[in-house]
């Protein structure tokens, strides 16, 4: 045990040393609150307060591969091994949204927001007002499937506002979620919910000069390790392993002479389109993401309605199918409709009809089936009025807003908002609204027909049983005839709701079709066949038109994300597929407060990138137990075009009796190192150590950036290695052997360290403890 005096001399204050039920594989501090999200080795997510109070635990049921926070700390993104990215509410862990853009396991996530508030052309802060609230009540929620309790279908309760807040981007800072998968795909999603672009690092090429000639190169067999978007959204650093190859004119790949080793590389991607067009992208994403939410409401509404109506009709058919069986058993060559029409006409009741009405169906059976169908009709009408119709109306309004934006070609054509595609989507939303209104009329008519039919059956049963029928509801004989001829064996409601392999076409009279054609000349729908389609088919076409309209901005933005530079870091030894090498890495951006450099695209102070990583001992024979810190890579990409280089790097030698377990860049250009003491005995593992040092004060040297990239640059640093003297730095011995990950909160000044024996230790990094929120 440490004495009180020695505790006061230590640079970091230990707040907690808590046991853990499982080993932690991923840990991230909330950027705005004293909350720590952790992923266990059995893929559970734990959320703890700084005082170690557990708020919630969730288990997605799949392997969790990555995790990151939304910049405002109100939601958490979770990457899964099936390619799904799920967003969860920080308050209770409930699922807010699932995004299935990837087809392979998610490797890493990075969520960044703009450092400056959105401003208009005159420099004023711009807040986008969602005009929908002026004309419509709050957007409808997804209806519940019958028999499900709250939370079973992955949607929020009506009383909760988290899902609404996720989609309400009017007053959010513009932010982008980057997600990278095992196949080398990187997706960019605005507000974490609207995919706006994609790149595949296998297809990224970059021009260089090789042997005096201009060549095109790419990283082959690449595997992404980490992605980090700059705070001005203008650059993306991608750390990946792979082979640097030359691409020929025939797109064939050849190894560069003398440079065919597998290595770790840093790629610099130009993403200035996000900054240059953030106002336009903000508006498009705001409308499109809400449209996609409402489209889900429509889809689920149709599914729930179809299921409920089918259940009601199955009840009707199960009972009335027995009438056909009775007719056959009595040897009659007639149909149930003919027998019932004969009864309606006053003829003598046939034995099968008498047996069916009196014995099989009875008064109780008629009332029960009538109640089931009447209840189903009312429930469908409720879903239409409370969910389906309001959703379609708001969709039509929002796509109309996008239609107005698409006509501003000077600003929105460059991000792929195509006027013709948006016009087509607008029309499809309008035709769906007409289909909803027609469905309500058909549903009302069908329910009325069934009610009239059941009233007649009750009258018949009473007469057959010689009971008084004066108190029964009246019926219309003509409607009974229409029902028996057109509705007894047909289900127009189901035909309008259900998607089937056999495409059903609604019959429309010639006069109506002529009117539809005439309306085209006065601005009516150009697609005159929409009345022949069902409601479900019309929804399918609307979905397809939205997909085509939103795919165009996605494709346009994807084409404008280009690779500008590559920095080979070190060769990676080839390992068997069964084994893997974990290399501690960290990427962060710090604002250059000196004002010496200004980002050309934003006019703001330049953000200087720091890339730090451990250099494996197997890479270079003369670089052992070293860390490397590279700064200015993104800025250097811009300077290289002007014929100069600003790239700097330093090798930091770790004492031979220590081994780096993990590292993390901290605020104010500081770096936190997590070390383990190496011991010669195997009985007990060595103690751990946490060190903070000022990365900006290290003796950096400039790295030559000739046009040739087929050279590892790290050996240039071996003659100017900086040595880490732990006793001279802010360091704290940890009485446990430590393991990755190291979780550091720059905003709160705290770090969480995990011991090999399933323990979590929380330290305050700041000397001024007031910077840390009250743990109570």
């Amino acid at each position: 045990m440490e004495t009180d005096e020695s505790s006061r001399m230590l640079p970091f204050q230990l707040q907690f040393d808590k046991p853990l039920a499982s080993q932690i594989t991923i840990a991230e501090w909330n950027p705005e609150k004293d909350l720590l999200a952790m992923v266990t080795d059995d893929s559970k997510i734990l959320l703890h307060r700084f005082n170690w109070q557990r708020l919630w635990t969730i288990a997605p049921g799949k392997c969790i591969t990555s995790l990151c926070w939304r910049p405002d700390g109100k939601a958490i993104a979770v990457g899964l091994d099936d390619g799904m990215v799920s967003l969860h509410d920080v308050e209770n862990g409930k699922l807010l949204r699932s995004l299935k853009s990837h087809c392979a396991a998610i490797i890493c996530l990075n969520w960044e927001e703009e450092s400056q508030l959105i401003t208009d052309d005159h420099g004023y802060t711009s807040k986008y007002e969602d005009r929908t609230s002026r004309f419509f009540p709050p957007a409808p929620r997804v209806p519940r499937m019958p028999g499900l309790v709250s939370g079973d279908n992955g949607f929020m309760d009506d009383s909760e506002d988290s899902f609404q807040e996720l989609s309400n981007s009017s007053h959010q800072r513009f932010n982008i979620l980057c997600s990278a998968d095992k196949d080398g795909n990187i997706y960019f999603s605005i507000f974490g919910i609207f995919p706006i672009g994609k790149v595949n690092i296998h297809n990224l090429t970059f021009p260089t000069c090789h042997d005096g000639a201009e060549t095109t190169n790419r990283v082959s067999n690449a595997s992404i390790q980490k992605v980090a978007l700059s705070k001005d959204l203008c650059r993306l650093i991608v750390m990946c392993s792979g082979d640097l190859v030359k691409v020929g004119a025939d797109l064939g790949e050849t190894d560069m002479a003398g440079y065919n080793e597998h290595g770790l590389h840093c790629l610099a991607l130009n993403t200035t389109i996000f900054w240059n067009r953030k106002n336009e992208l903000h508006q498009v994403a705001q409308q499109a993401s809400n449209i996609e939410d409402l489209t889900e409401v429509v889809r689920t509404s149709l599914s729930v309605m179809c299921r409920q109506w089918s259940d009601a009709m199955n009840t009707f058919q199960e009972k009335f199918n027995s009438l056909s069986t009775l007719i056959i058993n009595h040897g009659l060559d007639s149909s149930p409709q003919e027998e019932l029409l004969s009864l309606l006409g006053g003829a003598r009741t046939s034995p099968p009809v008498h047996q069916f009405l009196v014995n099989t169906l009875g008064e109780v059976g008629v009332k029960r089936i009538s109640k089931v169908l009447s209840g189903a009709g009312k429930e469908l009408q409720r879903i239409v009025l409370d969910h389906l119709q309001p959703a379609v109306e708001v969709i039509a309004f929002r796509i109309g807003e996008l239609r107005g934006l698409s006509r501003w070609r000077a600003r929105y054509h460059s991000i792929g908002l195509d006027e013709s595609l948006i016009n087509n989507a607008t029309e499809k939303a309008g035709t769906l609204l007409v289909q909803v209104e027609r469905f309500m009329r058909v549903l009302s008519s069908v329910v009325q027909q069934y009610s009239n039919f059941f009233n007649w059956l009750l009258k018949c049963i009473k007469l057959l049983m010689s009971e008084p029928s004066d108190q029964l509801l009246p019926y219309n004989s003509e409607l009974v005839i229409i029902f028996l001829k057109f509705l007894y064996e047909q289900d127009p409601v189901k035909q309008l709701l259900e998607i089937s392999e056999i495409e059903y076409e609604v019959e429309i009279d010639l006069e109506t079709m002529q009117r539809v054609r005439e309306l085209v000349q006065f601005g009516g729908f150009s697609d005159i066949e929409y009345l022949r389609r069902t409601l479900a088919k019309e929804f399918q076409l609307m979905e397809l038109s939205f997909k085509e309209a939103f795919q165009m901005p996605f494709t346009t933005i994807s084409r404008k994300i280009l690779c500008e530079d590559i920095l080979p870091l070190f060769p990676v030894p080839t390992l068997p597929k069964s084994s893997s090498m974990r290399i501690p890495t960290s990427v962060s951006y710090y604002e250059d407060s000196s004002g010496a450099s200004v980002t050309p695209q934003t006019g703001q102070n330049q953000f200087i990138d720091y890339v730090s990583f451990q250099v494996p001992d197997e890479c270079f024979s003369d670089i052992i137990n070293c860390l490397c810190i590279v700064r200015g890579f993104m800025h250097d990409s811009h300077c290289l075009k002007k014929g100069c280089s600003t790239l700097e790097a330093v090798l930091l030698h770790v004492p031979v009796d220590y081994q780096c377990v993990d590292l993390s860049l901290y605020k104010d250009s500081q770096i936190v190192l997590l070390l383990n003491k190496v011991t010669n005995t195997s009985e007990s593992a060595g103690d751990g150590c946490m060190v903070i040092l000022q990365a900006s004060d290290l003796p950096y040297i400039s790295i030559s950036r000739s046009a040739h990239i087929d050279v590892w640059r790290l050996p240039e640093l071996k003659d100017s290695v900086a040595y880490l003297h732990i006793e001279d730095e802010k360091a704290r011995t940890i009485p446990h052997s430590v393991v990755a990950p190291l979780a550091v909160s720059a905003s709160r000044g705290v770090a969480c360290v995990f011991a090999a024996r399933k323990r979590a230790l929380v330290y305050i990094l700041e000397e001024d403890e007031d910077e840390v929120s009250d743990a109570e």
Side-chain angles (χ1 to χ4, degrees):
M1 295 295 294
E2 298 167 322
T3 65
D4 293 341
E5 182 179 358
S6 62
S7 297
R8 286 194 295 270
M9 299 299 293
L10 294 174
F12 312 132
Q13 178 185 347
L14 176 63
Q15 287 294 106
F16 301 105
D17 184 350
K18 299 289 187 179
L20 295 168
S22 303
Q23 197 63 53
I24 301 300
T25 59
I26 306 171
E28 293 286 344
W29 286 98
N30 186 299
E32 295 293 331
K33 303 176 182 179
D34 294 323
L35 301 173
L36 177 64
M38 297 174 287
V39 177
T40 63
D41 54 6
D42 56 351
S43 285
K44 293 180 181 177
I45 305 176
L46 317 177
L47 187 71
H48 282 244
R49 291 190 184 277
F50 176 72
N51 62 6
W52 214 246
Q53 173 193 2
R54 184 179 297 186
L55 297 183
W56 47 257
T57 301
I58 59 174
K62 301 173 184 176
C63 180
I64 300 173
T65 55
S66 54
L67 177 147
C68 78
W69 287 96
R70 197 169 80 173
D72 63 3
K74 295 182 179 180
I76 189 168
V78 179
L80 305 175
D81 64 346
D82 64 350
M84 187 78 73
V85 177
S86 59
L87 306 183
H88 296 265
D89 182 16
V90 66
E91 296 296 332
N92 47 33
K94 286 196 173 182
L95 180 68
L96 299 176
R97 182 75 66 88
S98 293
L99 307 174
K100 184 60 175 173
S101 299
H102 299 266
C103 297
I106 306 297
I107 297 298
C108 54
L109 297 168
N110 176 243
W111 206 334
E112 194 62 62
E113 70 178 3
E114 57 166 340
S115 57
Q116 302 292 330
L117 288 174
I118 292 182
T119 56
D120 58 21
D121 295 336
H122 301 287
Y124 298 109
T125 300
S126 175
K127 291 185 178 179
Y128 295 124
E129 179 194 4
D130 189 351
R131 301 196 309 161
T132 313
S133 59
R134 292 188 187 181
F135 310 101
F136 299 94
R141 297 293 184 87
V142 174
R144 302 242 184 97
M145 291 290 285
L148 289 185
V149 296
S150 173
D152 286 350
N153 58 355
F155 295 100
M156 306 300 294
D157 294 336
D158 291 341
S159 60
E160 300 183 61
D161 298 324
S162 301
F163 187 80
Q164 286 297 104
E165 184 180 349
L166 183 71
S167 301
N168 183 14
S169 56
S170 298
H171 302 286
Q172 283 189 44
R173 284 191 178 190
F174 186 70
N175 61 73
I176 293 178
L177 173 64
C178 305
S179 53
D181 65 29
K182 188 177 180 180
D183 291 342
N185 296 304
I186 304 174
Y187 279 82
F188 304 89
S189 301
I190 300 177
F191 308 122
I193 58 178
F194 181 67
I196 194 59
K198 166 195 169 184
V199 295
N200 186 292
I201 58 172
H202 301 109
N203 300 328
L204 290 175
T205 60
F206 39 92
T208 59
C209 181
H210 188 75
D211 295 334
E214 189 79 16
T215 61
T216 301
N217 308 281
R218 70 158 55 108
V219 179
S220 180
N221 301 318
S223 176
I224 297 176
Q225 307 292 324
K226 189 180 292 290
V227 295
L229 190 63
S230 63
K231 295 183 184 300
D232 58 9
L233 310 181
C234 291
R235 296 289 187 275
L236 179 76
I237 287 181
V238 180
M239 297 186 73
C240 64
S241 59
D243 303 312
L244 190 62
V245 297
K246 181 172 65 175
V247 182
D250 58 351
L251 299 182
E253 297 180 354
T254 58
D255 292 333
M256 293 185 177
Y259 188 87
N260 55 5
E261 294 180 276
H262 190 72
L264 186 70
H265 312 277
C266 245
L267 302 181
L269 273 59
N270 185 334
T271 58
T272 54
I273 183 66
F274 294 139
W275 175 271
N276 294 337
R277 293 298 178 186
K278 63 177 181 176
N279 291 357
E280 293 84 354
L281 291 171
H282 190 131
Q283 288 181 296
V284 171
Q286 175 180 302
Q287 299 295 348
S289 60
N290 277 278
I291 287 174
E292 291 183 347
D293 291 343
L294 293 166
T295 300
E296 181 63 32
V297 173
V298 176
R299 180 187 298 107
T300 308
S301 297
L302 293 176
S303 176
V304 172
M305 291 163 62
C306 188
R307 174 176 169 177
Q308 291 194 331
W309 185 257
S310 295
D311 290 346
M313 290 305 299
N314 287 337
T315 302
F316 173 82
Q317 291 166 0
E318 286 174 3
K319 205 67 175 177
F320 278 78
N321 284 342
S322 60
L323 177 57
S324 300
T325 304
L326 289 172
I327 292 174
I328 294 174
N329 292 340
H330 282 77
L332 299 180
D333 187 17
S334 59
S335 66
Q337 296 97 310
E338 292 172 341
E339 291 293 328
L340 292 174
L341 283 172
S342 177
L343 177 63
L344 179 65
R348 186 177 63 86
T349 306
S350 64
V353 172
H354 188 281
Q355 182 179 347
F356 172 74
L357 293 178
V358 175
N359 301 329
T360 305
L361 186 60
E363 180 181 352
V364 174
V366 172
K367 290 181 177 180
R368 186 177 70 86
I369 298 175
S370 177
K371 183 178 180 180
V372 168
L373 278 166
S374 175
K378 290 179 180 179
E379 182 62 18
L380 262 62
Q381 290 175 336
R382 185 195 66 80
I383 293 176
V384 171
L385 295 176
D386 293 348
H387 300 274
L388 179 60
Q389 188 168 1
V392 177
E393 289 174 349
V394 178
I395 285 175
F397 178 82
R398 289 191 178 278
I399 196 67
E401 295 278 86
L402 284 178
R403 184 185 185 189
L405 297 178
S406 69
R407 295 185 174 183
W408 195 351
R409 296 179 58 84
R411 294 191 63 174
Y412 290 90
H413 183 71
S414 61
I415 65 169
L417 199 62
D418 186 88
E419 184 178 357
S420 62
L421 293 177
I422 295 295
N423 286 342
N424 180 52
T426 304
E427 177 167 305
K428 289 296 182 286
T431 55
L432 181 62
L433 190 56
V434 174
Q435 292 274 16
V436 171
E437 293 174 352
R438 180 176 68 176
F439 174 80
M440 284 293 283
R441 294 194 299 269
V442 172
L443 176 63
S444 178
S445 175
V446 169
V447 171
Q448 182 184 3
Q449 294 266 24
Y450 271 100
S451 177
N452 183 75
F453 174 66
F454 291 135
N455 289 340
W456 171 68
L457 285 182
L458 283 174
K459 185 81 170 180
C460 293
I461 292 173
K462 288 288 188 179
L463 292 176
L464 292 174
M465 298 179 67
S466 301
E467 295 181 358
S469 58
D470 298 336
Q471 303 299 322
L472 296 178
L473 294 174
Y475 66 90
N476 186 312
S477 300
E478 294 182 359
L479 292 181
V480 174
I481 296 173
I482 294 174
F483 175 87
L484 292 173
K485 287 186 174 182
F486 301 105
L487 293 181
Y488 187 85
E489 290 186 342
Q490 296 184 28
D491 189 355
V493 174
K494 184 179 180 181
Q495 289 171 341
L496 292 176
L497 291 175
E498 189 178 54
I499 291 293
S500 60
E501 296 180 359
I502 302 176
E503 191 167 318
Y504 176 74
E505 186 174 283
V506 180
E507 294 184 6
I508 304 297
D509 59 89
L510 295 178
E511 183 180 354
T512 301
M513 289 303 299
Q514 180 60 32
R515 291 178 180 176
V516 171
R517 293 187 182 94
E518 293 173 353
L519 286 174
V520 176
Q521 303 176 9
F522 301 96
F525 300 125
S526 59
D527 182 3
I528 61 174
E529 297 295 322
Y530 71 94
L531 287 178
R532 298 187 187 276
R533 295 190 288 267
T534 65
L535 175 62
K537 182 64 177 179
E538 199 66 43
F539 171 69
Q540 275 193 333
L541 293 179
M542 186 191 74
E543 260 198 314
L544 180 61
S545 68
F546 287 163
K547 183 178 180 180
E548 292 175 347
F550 298 152
Q551 182 66 28
M552 185 60 71
F554 182 91
T555 304
T556 302
I557 298 300
S558 299
R559 290 172 180 170
K560 296 187 177 184
I561 301 174
L562 304 174
C563 183
E564 284 190 333
D565 197 6
I566 183 171
L567 178 65
L569 299 178
F570 55 80
V572 177
T574 304
L575 298 173
K577 292 184 177 180
S578 58
S579 62
S580 61
M581 176 187 295
R582 184 189 181 277
I583 301 173
T585 59
S586 183
V587 181
S588 190
Y589 299 86
Y590 302 108
E591 186 174 1
D592 185 5
S593 57
S594 65
S597 56
V598 175
T599 305
Q601 293 82 6
T602 67
Q604 307 293 333
N605 288 340
Q606 176 81 36
F607 286 93
I608 304 298
D609 56 275
Y610 281 74
V611 180
S612 58
F613 53 91
Q614 182 183 30
V615 183
D617 293 346
E618 300 85 357
C619 298
F620 303 102
S621 60
D622 48 0
I623 300 179
I624 304 298
N625 206 26
C626 284
L627 307 176
C628 183
I629 304 173
V630 180
R631 70 178 180 184
F633 175 46
M634 302 301 274
H635 189 213
D636 192 62
S637 303
H638 178 72
C639 294
L640 278 178
K641 299 177 182 179
K642 300 180 180 180
C644 61
S645 174
T646 60
L647 185 66
E648 297 178 316
V650 62
L651 280 177
L652 181 64
H653 183 270
V654 178
V656 293
D657 53 345
Y658 283 92
Q659 183 180 17
C660 181
V661 175
D662 205 353
L663 52 85
S664 177
L665 287 160
Y666 187 46
K667 62 183 179 180
D668 301 327
S669 305
Q670 294 176 320
I671 184 171
V672 182
L673 304 179
L674 187 61
L675 310 175
N676 260 340
K677 195 172 182 62
V678 179
T679 60
N680 295 325
T681 60
S682 59
E683 289 82 7
S684 61
D687 292 340
C689 179
M690 184 166 56
V691 183
I692 288 187
L693 57 116
Q694 190 66 38
S696 58
D697 294 342
L698 294 172
Y700 291 89
I701 66 170
S702 297
I703 295 182
S704 61
R705 295 298 307 280
S706 65
H708 295 273
I709 64 170
D710 56 342
V711 178
W712 301 115
R713 300 297 178 186
L714 292 190
E716 299 178 13
L717 307 174
K718 64 181 181 180
D719 295 331
S720 56
V721 174
Y723 290 87
L724 174 65
H725 300 285
I726 296 179
E727 62 275 8
D728 297 335
E729 304 293 344
K730 294 174 61 176
R732 170 73 184 254
T733 299
I734 301 172
H736 303 281
S737 175
V738 293
V739 295
L742 167 65
V744 178
S745 172
S747 62
R748 300 297 169 183
V750 295
C752 186
V753 177
F754 300 98
R757 295 182 177 179
K758 296 183 181 179
R759 300 196 69 83
L761 298 89
V762 178
Y763 292 91
I764 296 178
L765 302 181
E766 303 293 339
E767 293 182 1
D768 182 5
E769 297 179 17
D770 291 338
E771 295 191 20
V772 182
S773 300
D774 186 7
E776 303 298 328

